[in-house]
Each structure stands twice: as C-alpha cells, then as structure tokens.
C-alpha cells in the first residue's frame, strides 16, 4: 500500500521557501518510509501567486517562510485557529509575538515549531524543548549570528572592520544593510527565544541588553591573542540570584572554551546545567538549503506527533548588574608606578588582575590587562577614575571575558 500524502502548504518561495520545496520533493519518499506519510506540497503563496485561503483549505500543515511580522503573524494565527499545525523560521515573529503564538497553539491543540528561527541548522530548539526538558538549564552561551562571526574571524586574521564587512558582503554572508547583524540585534532576538525556552519566562527583545561589533579595534584582538584570548559576539542567557540575565556583547574566550574554535559563518550554542555539565552544538548558521533542512526536521516531528511543549510562561525578574571578568585596554604614559596606580584603583573596587601586558615605552605605551570577575557597575566606576589619572590617555576600553574553559 502506498503511503498517504501529507499536505503541506507553503507561504513564501524565496531563498528558504524554494530550497524547502526542492528538499521536500527530494526527501518525501524517505520521510514516507520513516513515518508512513508522504509530505507533498499542496499550495504556495507569494506576493504574486496563490491565495492564503486556498493554501489553508488544502493543507494539513502550513510552513511560513515569508518573514517579517505582518501578514506572517495573522496567517499563523488563522492557520492554528483552523486546526493546522504550523512551522516558521521567523525569529522576529517568534521573539516579538511568541506568547501570543504559544497561547494559540495550546488553545487550538496544534503544534507550533520554529527550529530554523534560531541558529540555522543547529538543533538547539528541539534539544531545549525535548532532550533537556527535564534538566534545569543554568546558562546558555551562543554564537547565533554567522555574519558577525565571519567578520570577527577575518579581523583575527588582521583585517580591519570595514574590510572584513566588505568581504562578508562580497561573499553574500552580510546583507547590503548589515545593521541588524553588526549591532547585535539579530543575536539578541535569538537569545530572547532561547531564554524563553530554557527558563520558561517571557523574554522580549527590550529585555535583552545588546552591543555590536562596529566599534571593535583590530589591535584589541592582537593584544588579547598574547593573553590567550579570542573574540566572539556571544549571547548569554543565565539564571542569576533568582532572576535571569539575557545579553549579547563582544566577548573574549580562552582557547579551552567550546565556542572559541567556532570560526567563519558558523553558529554554536553551549548549554550548561548541573545534570549535564555542558553540551555544545554547532553548524551552519544560515543558507537556504541548510535552513530548509531544519524546517524539514520540524515537519517530520509534527508528522510523528512528537510534542513541542511551550507551557505558559512564569515571569522571572531581570538582573542587570552582572559580574564578569573584563579585558581592559588603556593608553598610558610609561611612568614609574603607573601600573601600581591602575591596579590600586581596580583593587579598591573589588577587582584583582589576572594577567597584564605592556607594549611600548614613553608617552605612547599600551597597558592591557584581564581582571578576575567584578560587577559591571563597580568596573565602570573604576575605569572612570582610571581615565582621570594624569598619565592615562582616556577611559579604558573594556570587553567582557568568559573564564570557563571546560577542559
Ligand atoms: N535566508 C536565510 O538564510 C535564513 C536563515 C534562517 C532563517 N531565515 C528566515 O526565513 C524566512 C524567509 O527568509 P528568506 O531569506 O527565504 O526570504 P526571501 O528570500 O525574502 O523570501 C520571502 C518570500 O516571501 C514572499 N512574501 C513576502 N511578502 C509576502 C506577502 N505579504 N504575502 C505572501 N508572500 C510574501 C516573497 O514573495 P515574492 O517571491 O513574490 O517576492 C518570497 O517568496 C525569514 O523569516 C527569515 O528570517 C532565513
């Protein structure tokens, strides 16, 4: 007996949508052998083709690959109300309207899946919702934007920021308007989604503090390399003092951290919990076929009726003043006791120095150091006072450092 068709309606036939349509055709037979149902495209909607109602009427499941908020949001709500399972790759929509969509899925008893919305092909959504559903996740670190990871990899090889960005655009890795990527906003939306899944608390983009890579200096990367550090744009979501902190900023990592070796346009996510210690998943962060593969995985999960639970959210307070080790870079005139004065001010604010390196002599020396953990507010006060010392050129540049190495 031939397997019965499973009718899939597709909204959007662009980079990901057209790759999904092709992959579905290629893999339908294999999926049928696995699930007993042969997924088949039953209708397509674009700006110039098809009608939403026709696609909805003929489908058992809708895949939304339009992007943006409207009409994608309304289409998903209408589809769920009509009893259809839905899959989307739309991080902006899940980040900004996640609770409304989760509520609709619960209310209508359908599945809402969005693996491709975070970290491309890296299956972190499924791991958090299923494999680690019973673990008490303490912290997630993620490189969740491939464009910025590519740019930073180029800068580590000595390129300036403008040259690295131009190369990313030339290779089609960065968009003509790269602002959402380089400002950290894209990564912040993805970390908000991961925090919602890991901690069961509603997290909106406005709850995520983010900083981009536009103001980084190539020389910071060179000095830091001497201290054994590499630079990544890292998103962090963690439990702290009964609350949570979700943030994205350039971060130095020691070589033994699992994210330190992720280079080029790749993504990786590290999940930490008492029960599992640490696991890391990595893979391509974008690309039509890669993203389509994650969508197809969601489709198989729905056909197999694997549940994707998103229980109602329980609000947790946001913690803003987070402790961390810091890298400091300052321009100093090389005077007797200059280092002692800087170390003294840091010590008065509770920061001790882990490593230090001085470059150059005379009026144009550079002092580069890494502290042990200190709260951000105390670090800012200490650097303000250091910037006022007569032999220091300006307020030191600071970048966070993750100390863990999991070796
Ligand atoms: N590209 C990636 O590597 C990647 C990676 C991860 C996630 N995503 C996500 O995947 C989604 C799709 O991205 P994409 O790169 O494939 O986008 P895209 O290439 O711009 O394609 C968008 C598609 O949606 C259609 N569309 C736009 N507005 C519409 C409307 N109002 N009604 C009906 N159809 C409409 C377009 O129709 P026309 O063909 O008529 O223009 C086009 O077919 C986005 O949410 C994106 O964030 C993409």
């Amino acid at each position: 007996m031939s397997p019965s068709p499973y009718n899939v309606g597709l909204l959007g036939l662009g980079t990901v949508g057209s790759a999904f349509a092709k992959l579905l055709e290629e893999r339908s037979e294999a999926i049928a052998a696995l699930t007993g149902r042969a997924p088949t495209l039953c209708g397509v909607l674009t700006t110039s083709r098809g009608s939403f109602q026709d696609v909805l009427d003929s489908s058992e499941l809708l895949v939304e690959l339009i992007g943006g908020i409207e009409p994608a949001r309304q289409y998903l709500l209408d589809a769920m109300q009509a009893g259809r399972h839905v899959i989307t790759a739309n991080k902006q929509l899940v980040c900004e309207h996640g609770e409304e969509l989760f509520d609709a899925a619960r209310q209508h008893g359908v599945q809402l899946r969005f693996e491709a919305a975070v970290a491309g092909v890296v299956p972190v959504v499924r791991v958090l919702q299923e494999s680690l559903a019973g673990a008490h996740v303490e912290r997630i670190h993620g490189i969740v934007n491939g464009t910025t990871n590519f740019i930073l990899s180029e800068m580590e090889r000595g390129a300036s920021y403008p040259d690295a960005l131009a190369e990313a655009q030339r290779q089609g890795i960065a968009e003509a308007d790269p602002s959402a990527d380089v400002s950290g906003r894209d990564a912040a939306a993805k970390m908000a989604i991961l925090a919602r899944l890991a901690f069961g608390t509603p997290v909106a983009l406005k709850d995520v503090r983010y900083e981009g890579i536009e103001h980084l200096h190539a020389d910071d990367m060179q000095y830091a390399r001497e201290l054994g550090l590499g630079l990544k744009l890292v998103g962090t979501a963690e439990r702290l003092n009964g609350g949570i902190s979700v943030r994205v900023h350039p971060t130095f990592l020691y070589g033994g951290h699992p994210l330190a070796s992720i280079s080029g346009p790749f993504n990786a996510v590290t999940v930490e919990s008492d029960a599992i210690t640490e696991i890391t998943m990595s893979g391509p962060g974008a690309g039509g076929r890669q993203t389509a593969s994650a969508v197809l995985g969601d489709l198989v999960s729905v056909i197999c009726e694997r549940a994707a639970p998103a229980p109602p959210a329980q609000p947790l307070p946001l913690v803003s003043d987070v402790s961390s080790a810091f890298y400091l870079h300052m321009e100093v005139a090389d005077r007797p006791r200059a280092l002692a004065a800087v170390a003294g001010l840091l010590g008065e604010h509770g920061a001790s120095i882990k490593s230090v390196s001085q470059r150059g002599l005379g009026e144009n020396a550079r002092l580069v150091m890494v502290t042990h953990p200190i709260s951000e507010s105390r670090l800012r006060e200490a650097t303000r006072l250091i910037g006022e010392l007569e032999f220091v050129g300006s307020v030191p540049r600071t970048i966070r450092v993750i100390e863990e190495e999991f070796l």
Side-chain angles (χ1 to χ4, degrees):
M1 203 174 73
S2 61
S4 61
Y6 187 91
N7 289 330
V8 177
L10 178 58
L11 312 180
L13 196 62
T15 306
V16 184
S18 53
F20 173 74
K22 189 162 180 289
L23 204 57
L24 187 66
E25 204 179 337
E26 287 169 23
R27 303 295 304 157
S28 180
E29 219 178 289
I31 293 172
L34 206 65
T35 65
R37 303 287 306 271
T40 312
L41 216 51
C42 64
V44 173
L45 177 75
T46 70
T47 56
S48 59
R49 171 180 170 189
S51 100
F52 173 70
Q53 198 57 46
D54 288 348
V55 176
L56 181 66
D57 289 344
S58 59
S59 65
E60 290 171 71
L61 172 147
L62 274 194
V63 175
E64 183 276 305
L65 297 171
I66 293 174
I69 301 295
E70 295 296 354
R73 172 185 152 276
Q74 197 57 53
Y75 286 159
L76 287 184
L77 290 173
D78 289 352
M80 288 192 278
Q81 189 174 16
R84 306 296 189 273
H85 301 298
V86 293
I87 298 171
T88 178
N90 191 332
K91 66 190 162 253
Q92 192 191 354
L93 185 57
V94 177
C95 174
E96 290 181 31
H97 295 276
E99 296 314 317
E100 183 183 26
L101 296 170
F102 296 143
D103 284 349
R106 274 194 303 275
Q107 191 186 339
H108 301 296
V110 296
Q111 289 212 32
L112 161 69
R113 290 205 169 249
F114 48 92
E115 183 65 72
V118 183
V121 81
V122 181
V124 58
V125 170
R126 187 169 291 110
V127 165
L128 288 174
Q129 284 186 319
E130 298 176 21
S131 320
L132 298 181
H136 186 75
V137 173
E138 289 290 344
R139 183 188 293 138
I140 297 173
H141 285 310
I143 295 174
V144 291
N145 183 277
T147 305
T148 44
N149 205 52
F150 175 88
I151 292 171
L152 292 177
S153 301
E154 291 294 298
M155 289 175 73
E156 285 203 314
R157 284 195 207 99
S160 66
Y161 171 73
D163 287 350
L165 172 59
E167 181 59 20
Q169 286 170 323
R170 197 186 63 75
Q171 293 192 28
I173 294 167
E175 292 177 23
D177 174 5
S179 53
D181 291 326
V182 300
S183 69
R185 196 170 70 242
D186 172 89
K190 293 167 178 169
M191 291 309 298
I193 296 171
L194 292 184
R196 165 64 173 91
L197 294 177
F199 308 135
T201 185
V203 183
L205 187 57
K206 68 174 173 42
D207 300 325
V208 184
R209 283 182 59 190
Y210 62 88
E211 239 176 85
I213 63 166
E214 312 98 305
H215 308 299
L216 292 174
H217 296 245
D219 62 349
D220 283 324
M221 297 165 103
Q222 284 154 19
Y223 291 126
R225 202 176 305 130
E226 291 172 19
L227 301 171
L229 295 163
L231 190 62
K232 308 288 176 195
L233 184 68
V234 176
T236 300
E238 63 184 337
R239 294 184 195 272
L240 278 176
N241 312 324
I244 60 156
S245 163
V246 190
R247 52 194 195 271
V248 172
H249 37 64
T251 305
F252 280 120
L253 299 164
Y254 287 97
H257 193 281
L259 299 185
S261 58
I262 308 300
S263 61
F266 273 68
N267 281 191
V269 179
T270 296
V271 184
E272 294 172 45
S273 145
D274 182 39
I276 60 167
T277 310
E278 172 273 328
I279 58 170
T280 300
M281 296 156 272
S282 67
R289 194 165 168 85
Q290 290 84 348
T291 308
S293 163
V295 175
L296 200 62
D298 278 348
L299 175 58
V300 173
S301 290
V302 173
I303 297 176
C304 293
E305 295 179 352
R306 289 188 203 122
Q314 306 288 338
L316 290 171
L318 289 166
V319 178
S320 57
D321 192 14
V322 177
S323 281
S324 162
F326 279 89
Y327 159 99
L328 273 69
H329 179 151
M330 59 204 97
E331 293 158 17
V332 295
D334 184 20
R335 299 277 153 71
R337 299 199 45 78
L339 176 58
V342 170
L345 273 174
L346 285 170
E348 282 166 27
H349 289 81
S352 55
I353 297 170
K354 179 172 177 172
S355 52
V356 63
S357 141
Q358 182 175 338
R359 278 284 197 84
L361 295 167
E363 295 302 303
N364 295 312
R366 297 273 187 284
L367 199 53
V368 172
M369 54 180 63
V370 177
T371 70
H372 285 294
I374 172 177
S375 77
E376 183 172 359
S377 58
R378 301 196 81 190
L379 188 274
R380 297 278 167 241
E381 179 57 14
T383 52
R384 187 184 68 76
L385 294 172
I386 291 170
E388 288 175 1
L389 294 171
E390 52 90 18
F391 53 83
V392 174
S394 57
V395 175
R397 300 205 293 264
T398 59
I399 297 175
R400 285 174 185 272
V401 177
I402 290 178
E403 291 195 302
E404 291 93 352
E405 296 203 65
F406 299 108
L407 282 172

